Amino acid sequence: MLASEFLPAYAKLEPPVRARVQSVFGKFAEHTFAGLHLEKLQNPRDERVRTIRIDKFWRGVVLAPESGDQYCLINVLPHDEAIAFARTRQFSVNQALGVIEMRDAENLELIAPALRVQAAQAPERLFEAISDKDLLRLGIEPDLLPLVRDITSEAALQVVERLLPQAQADVLTALASGLTVEETWAEVSAGYAAQSGAAGTADAGDLGAALQRSRSFAVAVDGEAELSAILSQPFDAWRVFLHPSQHRLAYAPSYTGPALVTGAAGTGKTVVALHRAVYLARSRPELPVLLTTFTRALSDSLRASLAKLDADPDVLGAIDVQGVDQLAYSVFAEQRASLGEQWAVASAADQAAAWRHALAETQAPFAAEFLSDEWEHVVLAQDLTTAEQYLACTRTGRGGTLGPRQRETAWQAINAAAEHLREANRWTFLQIAAEAARYQAEQCVPRYRHAVIDESQDLHPAHWRLLRACVAPNVDDLFLVGDPHQRIYRNNASLRSLGIEVRGRSRKLTLGYRSTGEILDYATHILTGEHVADLEDDQQQDSLAGYRSLLHGRKPTVRAAAHRAEELDALAARVRQWLDEGIPAESIVVAARTRHLVDEAAQALRVHELDAVVIDKATADGGGVRVCTMHKLKGLEFQCVALIAVEAGVIPPAQLGDDPADLMRERCLLFVAATRARDSLHVSYSGEPSRLLPGQSK
Ligand SMILES: Nc1ncnc2c1ncn2[C@@H]1O[C@H](COP(=O)(O)OP(=O)(O)OP(=O)(O)O)[C@@H](O)[C@H]1O
């Protein structure tokens, strides 16, 4: 068996060491390990832990349960670290959940006195309202009770959490986030039962059986071919290991209707969406599964990840991966063909000409930009087709009221622009989506049996109408994933207002897998105290409670500069430092609020003899540091992220009105940009810092 810790450790090794690891552990996979020498440790916490020589520098750590000939490969580390790791780990069987547990026994003992001192001075303790009986019932081990009792704050819990077994850490985090004992049990036991199928049937002595049940801890590997398939993509542990809370959502046998998975940046929503799509395609092969997202570039990335998850051509063939506009385009093209009509997508110049024409014709006292927004976010969003409907509609979220006269003029101008485009046979993307939705609904023949939808928070109501029309209401019809904290476009509409009811089928992920705790802490402060509307129901508020990471690293750096030239020199120095640390150029991104600043940054990097590739419409190819707008960062991730010109007048832009919703989108944009970083985040500004940055007055 392979433990979930093993893959990240393996990913760090040089190719010759990897080959050696593969050859040693291949023998385990083939059950031909008779000649291999598993060494016992001196004074181990757990007699069942052994080590094995990989070469003179590296050692593997192996768990050898007393029963059966099952071995579990836990980790690969440099010699001394491997010995220390192996000596300090202790294994047991969780009595409430039936899964295997590994704890860092030595470090838990080392921090206990400090926690005790803290607890003696603190006015209250985090879990004082929970009885011992309840903690034990939730699977906290009896000998850990005193330590749990000494935890006084969420910060202390975060330190302890990394040393505790996963299931116990999950229980404590759920309780700390405010769930009751019953809710915690329902949440945690459902996750573990879904992945092990055996919660509550534990035999404390049978580590081997517990190991078999604990799929988020370890997977069984049958033969060298399977081992080599897993090891061929060591950076993609998500293919093999899901957290129980992820597994439960992705592999639920079925949902009685639309289901929603939320969670802040990097909590594995896309991973869950990919697993769900594969699960649906494997278990219900009748009609294809649609896997869709906000843009074509993101759907390309979904397609690439899908191929890593499942190479079976039948499964891949049963999943149609398309950006939502691509889908709209093909449905609309079908409709136009049936009518025998020529058409083309309206370019920005076509649209500008249409608005010029409409304003000249109607003399409407509005800016073209206002009317264009009114068209997209009121008329097309609500599918209004008559002046009466427009006069009577609510314009929630549009800021400012329009009297009946003003509405009449606005309606005339919008119609004139639409008419102008129609005469030229030109269609905007949102018109295409709205028309495709109407056509698809008339067909009454669903295109797909299931749709899995990523980045749900930014889809336009016309996209939702299209998706609804493509998939008939049914069991497992829509599986949505999204994060309201990452809403960066004006398309927001609550699912309830769209007629998509997810009540009772909505769950949130809280464990961040991408960024370090230090980066998450910085990023969440961008949104602290802000009201973020729930995806399901915009009268309710979503929160970042419980959002955390088990990864740790450097604190983000914030660099003030007197002027742009100084800032860009510092940027180049920072990028060079990352490159010198061995980080590949393609894993570094520099982002700015505007396209103009992007060009300036790319130019500055080149002046400093650093290769820079601007990410434009599609994903970038070729060697070099990536440079793009903050909007382009949506859904992506990089090892190192530099955000430049995070300053007054740029984010939020000077011309932004005083609509709080616009300001909130800017905040979310900065949150999205900061949370793209896995290991390192650099933020800089020239002159006055942006008021959206943590630590600035709002
Ligand atoms: N169970 C897992 N094991 C290992 N890595 C994981 C796991 N789940 C997610 N990850 C990794 O965490 C990172 C973030 O995952 P993912 O993109 O699915 O998150 P997300 O919630 O969709 O993020 P965002 O909303 O910011 O786009 C990815 O690098 C992914 O491979």
Side-chain angles (χ1 to χ4, degrees):
M1 299 190 80
L2 279 190
S4 54
E5 296 218 5
F6 185 85
L7 275 188
Y10 179 79
K12 288 193 191 131
L13 304 176
E14 297 288 329
V17 187
R18 279 194 198 172
R20 179 78 193 126
V21 169
Q22 198 160 339
S23 123
V24 170
F25 292 145
K27 296 198 169 59
F28 281 93
E30 291 293 338
H31 296 269
T32 53
F33 41 76
L36 295 175
H37 188 48
L38 284 175
E39 284 176 27
K40 285 195 167 186
L41 296 146
Q42 283 185 348
N43 302 325
R45 293 289 168 152
D46 195 319
E47 293 286 351
R48 297 162 293 193
V49 183
R50 312 283 157 82
T51 69
I52 187 165
R53 184 176 193 275
I54 305 288
D55 64 15
K56 65 179 189 308
F57 187 69
W58 295 92
R59 286 195 88 74
V61 179
V62 175
L63 172 67
E66 294 104 339
S67 57
D69 61 356
Q70 193 74 249
Y71 291 89
C72 183
L73 316 174
I74 306 286
N75 214 335
V76 195
L77 292 165
H79 182 279
D80 292 355
E81 280 175 51
I83 301 293
F85 180 97
R87 271 195 43 250
T88 53
R89 286 333 189 250
Q90 186 179 324
F91 290 83
S92 53
V93 181
N94 185 301
Q95 288 307 288
L97 297 163
V99 291
I100 193 160
E101 309 239 82
M102 177 175 78
R103 65 162 100 158
D104 183 343
E106 189 162 293
N107 280 316
L108 279 170
E109 277 169 28
L110 283 176
I111 63 164
L115 288 176
R116 163 97 334 156
V117 171
Q118 241 177 32
Q121 292 160 357
E124 54 187 28
R125 300 169 190 206
L126 202 53
F127 302 109
E128 64 191 16
I130 321 283
S131 70
D132 281 357
K133 198 163 140 236
D134 280 338
L135 286 171
L136 293 171
R137 193 157 63 86
L138 292 169
I140 302 298
E141 285 174 285
D143 64 331
L144 286 175
L145 268 184
L147 182 118
V148 169
R149 288 267 164 246
D150 284 342
I151 298 174
T152 52
S153 63
E154 296 212 15
L157 174 60
Q158 275 187 18
V159 175
V160 176
E161 187 184 13
R162 275 176 286 146
L163 311 173
L164 284 175
Q166 188 183 56
Q168 296 184 58
D170 289 346
V171 161
L172 296 180
T173 317
L175 290 172
S177 75
L179 296 195
T180 63
V181 171
E182 271 61 41
E183 287 164 345
T184 299
W185 175 247
E187 201 57 37
V188 177
S189 66
Y192 282 86
Q195 61 124 26
S196 70
T201 59
D203 169 352
D206 198 347
L207 213 56
L211 198 50
Q212 293 288 346
R213 285 195 292 263
S214 312
R215 244 180 291 155
S216 66
F217 183 86
V219 283
V221 183
D222 194 12
E224 221 171 327
E226 201 175 318
L227 178 74
S228 120
I230 294 176
L231 296 186
S232 65
Q233 294 177 53
F235 289 102
D236 299 316
W238 60 270
R239 292 164 52 232
V240 187
F241 299 104
L242 290 181
H243 186 275
S245 58
Q246 296 176 320
H247 193 280
R248 166 197 184 191
L249 299 171
Y251 291 95
S254 78
Y255 295 94
T256 51
L260 171 67
V261 177
T262 60
T267 50
K269 298 181 298 297
T270 302
V271 160
V272 168
L274 289 163
H275 278 266
R276 186 72 189 164
V278 165
Y279 169 79
L280 290 170
R282 278 201 172 278
S283 52
R284 321 254 176 75
E286 314 94 54
L287 268 183
V289 176
L290 171 68
L291 174 59
T292 190
T293 182
F294 190 64
T295 63
R296 188 183 191 132
L298 289 173
S299 72
D300 288 346
S301 138
L302 284 181
R303 193 174 298 108
S305 300
L306 199 59
K308 288 182 184 174
L309 182 57
D310 200 318
D312 182 342
D314 288 344
V315 172
L316 294 180
I319 304 176
D320 191 5
V321 191
Q322 297 201 48
V324 72
D325 279 322
Q326 271 175 291
L327 172 70
Y329 187 97
S330 49
V331 174
F332 183 71
E334 204 177 290
Q335 183 218 28
R336 292 288 107 178
S338 73
L339 297 173
E341 289 196 13
Q342 298 293 314
W343 67 286
V345 174
S347 65
D350 292 333
Q351 294 182 52
W355 288 115
R356 263 198 316 276
H357 182 88
L359 287 174
E361 191 180 296
T362 60
Q363 296 295 308
F366 299 108
E369 203 186 32
F370 170 84
L371 288 173
S372 160
D373 278 355
E374 190 72 4
W375 188 26
E376 292 188 348
H377 301 296
V378 178
V379 177
L380 290 173
Q382 297 182 36
D383 201 20
L384 308 176
T385 51
T386 66
E388 291 70 38
Q389 286 175 338
Y390 180 63
L391 281 170
C393 79
T394 32
R395 299 173 56 258
T396 321
R398 284 288 291 138
T401 49
L402 290 185
R405 263 255 151 72
Q406 287 170 302
R407 286 201 191 200
E408 229 161 77
T409 332
W411 178 256
Q412 280 167 7
I414 289 169
N415 260 314
E419 189 50 39
H420 189 76
L421 288 172
R422 206 169 302 132
E423 279 166 9
N425 287 325
R426 295 286 188 271
W427 295 76
T428 69
F429 271 114
L430 281 180
Q431 270 186 301
I432 290 171
E435 201 55 31
R438 207 168 293 132
Y439 171 72
Q440 181 61 40
E442 282 161 14
Q443 300 307 297
C444 301
V445 184
R447 282 181 180 244
Y448 303 98
R449 173 78 173 72
H450 316 281
V452 176
I453 304 157
D454 197 5
E455 302 283 350
S456 287
Q457 73 278 0
D458 275 328
L459 297 197
H460 185 274
H463 293 138
W464 286 112
R465 290 199 295 275
L466 172 64
L467 292 168
R468 186 65 283 180
C470 284
V471 187
N474 209 328
V475 169
D476 288 320
D477 49 359
L478 305 174
F479 187 83
L480 322 172
V481 311
D483 176 14
H485 301 90
Q486 297 185 58
R487 275 182 158 148
I488 57 172
Y489 293 98
R490 289 195 184 150
N491 298 339
N492 29 336
S494 74
L495 292 172
R496 184 159 296 162
S497 72
L498 295 159
I500 298 174
E501 189 53 76
V502 295
R503 197 174 341 164
R505 293 181 297 272
S506 165
R507 285 280 178 281
K508 190 193 259 184
L509 297 171
T510 51
L511 184 59
Y513 276 91
R514 176 187 300 130
S515 310
T516 61
E518 289 73 10
I519 294 171
L520 285 200
D521 187 48
Y522 184 79
T524 49
H525 275 90
I526 297 169
L527 292 172
T528 303
E530 298 300 321
H531 177 104
V532 175
D534 196 78
L535 279 188
E536 181 181 351
D537 173 0
D538 53 12
Q539 298 309 307
Q540 303 294 320
Q541 191 171 343
D542 199 333
S543 85
L544 291 170
Y547 182 34
R548 68 204 196 282
S549 166
L550 297 183
L551 309 167
H552 281 273
R554 285 180 278 198
K555 280 197 166 161
T557 51
V558 181
R559 173 84 162 70
H563 48 75
R564 187 75 69 231
E566 181 189 322
E567 185 187 357
L568 293 177
D569 282 350
L571 168 74
R574 166 53 93 194
V575 168
R576 192 168 295 288
Q577 199 181 339
W578 282 332
L579 292 169
D580 290 347
E581 285 169 13
I583 293 164
E586 306 73 53
S587 299
I588 299 174
V589 75
V590 175
R593 176 68 182 83
T594 66
R595 178 58 210 238
H596 172 76
L597 284 162
V598 165
D599 291 337
E600 222 182 310
Q603 181 59 21
L605 292 176
R606 289 181 193 127
V607 166
H608 284 84
E609 294 177 351
L610 294 162
D611 289 334
V613 183
V614 173
I615 308 181
D616 229 319
K617 286 211 162 57
T619 30
D621 288 326
V625 170
R626 275 35 183 163
V627 191
C628 66
T629 60
M630 291 182 180
H631 281 91
K632 279 271 159 0
L633 285 179
K634 184 185 183 63
L636 305 181
E637 70 180 31
F638 294 84
Q639 233 171 312
C640 303
V641 173
L643 304 178
I644 61 155
V646 189
E647 64 213 21
V650 174
I651 182 163
Q655 69 276 17
L656 196 80
D658 48 11
D659 184 347
D662 286 339
L663 187 61
M664 190 62 200
R665 266 187 294 279
E666 295 293 315
R667 228 176 246 292
C668 291
L669 181 62
L670 196 55
F671 174 75
V672 168
T675 53
R676 302 305 96 194
R678 292 206 324 241
D679 301 331
S680 215
L681 173 65
H682 169 84
V683 177
S684 65
Y685 55 87
S686 304
E688 199 186 324
S690 163
R691 64 187 153 123
L692 307 184
L693 279 177
Q696 302 300 319
S697 56
K698 293 186 178 176

